[in-house]
Amino acid sequence: MSRRTLIVCGDGASAVLLVCALARQAGQGLSIVVIGRNSHAGRGIAYSTANPNHLLNVPAARMSADINRPDQFVQWLDGHGIAARDWPHGFVSRALYGAYLSELLETTLKANPDLEVRFIRGDVKSLMKKHLGWIVAYDGGAVTADLVALATGNDLPPPIAPHHARKLRARICDNPWAEHVVEKDQDVLILGSGLTAIDAVISLKDRGHAARIHLLSRHGLLPQRHVEPLPSQPLPRPFPKTILGLLRAMRDQLGRAPEPARWQGLMDAMRPHWPGIWLSLPPHEKKRFLRHGVTQWNIHRHRLAPRVGEYLGHSLSRNLHIVKGRLRHLKPMESGMIATIARGVHVTELRVEHVINCTGPNPNPEKTHDHLIENLVASRLARGTDAGVGLDVDAKNRVLDKSGIAQPSLLAMGALTRGHWWEITAIPEIAHQAQVMSGAIMEYLGILNAASRINRRH
Ligand SMILES: Cc1cc2nc3c(=O)[nH]c(=O)nc-3n(C[C@H](O)[C@H](O)[C@H](O)COP(=O)(O)OP(=O)(O)OC[C@H]3O[C@@H](n4cnc5c(N)ncnc54)[C@H](O)[C@@H]3O)c2cc1C
């Protein structure tokens, strides 16, 4: 029987975790083609940074790519003479994690010579159904496949000023993960104050940025800093079915003004339960959370590595300023621009030379500027979730088409599936998802192969 083909669209950590999970499931008889924009598979957005001060925001002990070997990454670090088991040494550089994933991929492929894996550098533009399979079109041609896995990661943030004059556009960076060309003596306005904004600050400062850096966000809140958590029990079951109920239950368990070690311990204890809780919430509760709770969630859940927290505290007393408010307008000037910022009835102006958009990935596939996702939605092969976040998938991560039917040969993973699972954007959860998906892929291939055998007999 000829080999079945799986095409993975995207070449980041999710793609590598899926290939490795398939290899563990004895994926022989399967040919995998990974199509991605980068020269090194596995690094994606998060792990392609070479900056040693861009650190993991999850301790190494929880970053194994293999759910059957939870110690794998720490052992890999041990093998490279890096002790990362004890607090706070586990927050190693993201570049190291990228190197670990590359090595893991290489050893996995060597150990499984029957598993065919090919990498194509390219940008996937669209998918088209062909009989039971797919035609995947990318900027260098087209390939056919029996199955497709979408692993394209986070979308870019919605562009901040698409209507602005071209003159200004050269000074606005809408891709927060791209290299920013900024002179050391030019003032910068960073929109957003989450982990990506902090990464941008680190990049600027490491290049000796001496001018002012303004971090603008609605509430002016920075991510919390990781402390060594106190082990905690999760909330008692059954979990409340409303966001307010959950918040109250957490407050009851923690008491008034809990120290960070306690609430971080509870957040960690609850982490495996968020997908189940999210799934049980009705759409209006999800929307309420996204409207009113997501800022608090982000700063408590997506925390800074302790060393980054210290660095930031130090910078805040120098040329880093937190600004509360919303960007209302950008007006081009001879050099740079004037940013008008509104906070309630108060309006202030800031003169800056550059703007970096770190407002967070566009969550809604129905409002994306990404060609592939836009095409999938337009051709009714995919739809957004009720809450307006991510693609609609089922428990096996099979993508639901416009009418809500799960497609066994089209799967999605990582940030694309956030609307279904909510807690799914980091390695611990993606590693688990990759294992579940590899099971679904092998199951579907089994069905396809059985059907072919029956057809040949008749
Ligand atoms: C700055 C940052 C830091 C992070 N730090 C951590 C951390 O410390 N620990 C943790 O667990 N998680 C962290 N995360 C979460 C992180 O997203 C996951 O750990 C993981 O890297 C997600 O991988 P991915 O492959 O799903 O997405 P990505 O890393 O975004 O990779 C997707 C890849 O697909 C490519 N691609 C996209 N569209 C197409 C297309 N149409 N055609 C071809 N290729 C395409 C992209 O160029 C990219 O290379 C971080 C995320 C970011 C952004």
Side-chain angles (χ1 to χ4, degrees):
M1 188 169 297
S2 65
R3 277 174 182 269
R4 299 290 181 180
T5 305
L6 162 73
I7 292 183
V8 184
C9 304
D11 56 353
S14 291
V16 166
L17 264 50
L18 181 61
V19 170
C20 293
L22 281 162
R24 287 197 297 273
Q25 293 237 358
Q28 291 95 339
L30 180 63
S31 171
I32 304 176
V33 181
V34 177
I35 309 180
R37 297 176 180 147
N38 297 310
S39 47
H40 294 285
R43 295 184 187 251
I45 302 288
Y47 312 114
S48 53
T49 171
N51 186 326
N53 294 321
H54 284 165
L55 303 184
L56 292 180
N57 52 46
V58 177
R62 297 218 306 266
M63 286 291 287
S64 173
D66 182 348
I67 59 165
N68 302 317
R69 295 179 56 201
D71 234 18
Q72 192 186 56
F73 180 46
V74 183
Q75 277 175 3
W76 183 90
L77 289 168
D78 280 347
H80 287 75
I82 301 161
R85 288 177 191 272
D86 299 325
W87 190 269
H89 308 295
F91 296 92
V92 297
S93 77
R94 300 209 301 267
L96 269 175
Y97 195 76
Y100 154 71
L101 283 183
S102 299
E103 210 174 296
L104 178 67
L105 179 65
E106 204 179 307
T107 47
T108 302
L109 296 186
K110 269 193 194 139
N112 295 276
D114 289 341
L115 183 72
E116 262 180 19
V117 184
R118 193 157 65 93
F119 295 89
I120 296 179
R121 194 157 181 195
D123 195 338
V124 180
K125 299 290 184 194
S126 65
L127 306 185
M128 216 169 73
K129 264 199 157 154
K130 188 192 169 203
H131 308 304
L132 282 177
W134 297 92
I135 301 174
V136 178
Y138 64 103
D139 51 1
V143 251
T144 55
D146 298 288
L147 290 113
V148 174
L150 304 170
T152 53
N154 278 315
D155 199 356
L156 285 175
I160 44 173
H163 50 283
H164 278 301
R166 211 176 274 161
K167 185 172 161 205
L168 210 53
R169 296 254 15 112
R171 290 177 177 273
I172 297 175
C173 183
D174 268 321
N175 181 349
W177 302 295
E179 191 74 20
H180 316 302
V181 189
V182 176
E183 299 297 326
K184 292 175 189 166
D185 57 352
Q186 294 181 329
D187 288 353
V188 181
L189 174 64
I190 297 179
L191 303 181
S193 58
L195 292 180
T196 298
I198 307 303
D199 262 11
V201 172
I202 293 173
S203 301
L204 289 168
K205 302 274 267 177
D206 284 355
R207 288 199 304 266
H209 195 82
R212 276 173 296 195
I213 304 172
H214 306 279
L215 280 181
L216 171 68
S217 65
R218 221 175 304 166
H219 305 282
L221 294 170
L222 292 174
Q224 297 282 319
R225 187 191 300 195
H226 273 286
V227 298
E228 188 168 7
L230 275 174
S232 164
Q233 290 299 317
L235 295 177
R237 286 168 183 269
F239 299 129
K241 292 269 184 288
T242 63
I243 294 298
L244 205 60
L246 281 161
L247 201 64
R248 282 200 185 121
M250 287 182 85
R251 282 206 187 122
D252 287 350
Q253 182 151 324
L254 289 168
R256 272 177 181 265
E259 59 202 75
R262 287 202 60 223
W263 68 254
Q264 294 193 14
L266 178 57
M267 285 294 280
D268 289 354
M270 287 303 292
R271 187 161 164 172
H273 303 290
W274 293 128
I277 291 173
W278 182 255
L279 277 164
S280 73
L281 293 177
H284 67 269
E285 276 296 318
K286 291 178 182 165
K287 284 184 183 153
R288 180 176 297 166
F289 168 74
L290 293 168
R291 243 189 338 266
H292 303 299
V294 79
T295 306
Q296 285 295 331
W297 165 271
N298 281 339
I299 63 165
H300 287 90
R301 164 62 189 83
H302 300 288
R303 302 192 288 268
L304 294 171
R307 185 149 65 83
V308 176
E310 278 164 32
Y311 177 93
L312 201 63
H314 188 62
S315 304
L316 277 171
S317 57
R318 297 181 171 204
N319 56 344
L320 181 63
H321 306 271
I322 309 289
V323 185
K324 274 190 204 177
R326 277 167 185 266
L327 178 69
R328 190 186 269 179
H329 184 64
L330 289 172
K331 185 168 132 206
M333 300 294 287
E334 191 62 28
S335 70
M337 61 198 108
I338 301 276
T340 307
I341 291 157
R343 187 177 169 216
V345 289
H346 301 286
V347 175
T348 48
E349 290 190 335
L350 276 179
R351 196 189 172 114
V352 293
E353 267 92 6
H354 285 273
V355 176
I356 304 174
N357 184 356
C358 299
T359 51
N362 162 46
N364 191 342
E366 303 197 352
K367 293 186 181 159
T368 182
H369 293 272
D370 179 275
H371 273 109
L372 173 60
I373 305 300
E374 204 173 24
N375 277 333
L376 284 171
V377 172
S379 53
R380 305 174 67 84
L381 291 168
R383 66 179 192 184
T385 58
D386 282 350
V389 178
L391 293 179
D392 223 352
V393 295
D394 70 0
K396 292 181 178 175
N397 301 290
R398 300 177 301 188
V399 175
L400 306 191
D401 68 13
K402 180 76 182 170
S403 47
I405 296 171
Q407 301 164 93
S409 61
L410 180 62
L411 297 100
M413 65 190 304
L416 283 175
T417 61
R418 196 169 185 208
H420 186 82
W421 302 113
W422 185 248
E423 182 66 85
I424 193 66
T425 53
I427 294 297
E429 288 78 21
I430 299 175
H432 181 261
Q433 186 181 39
Q435 184 83 1
V436 171
M437 277 173 70
S438 63
I441 289 169
M442 297 314 289
E443 182 187 296
Y444 179 65
L445 289 180
I447 295 169
L448 274 187
N449 291 339
S452 305
R453 277 194 297 273
I454 293 167
N455 279 345
R456 270 204 308 277
R457 260 186 245 139
H458 292 286

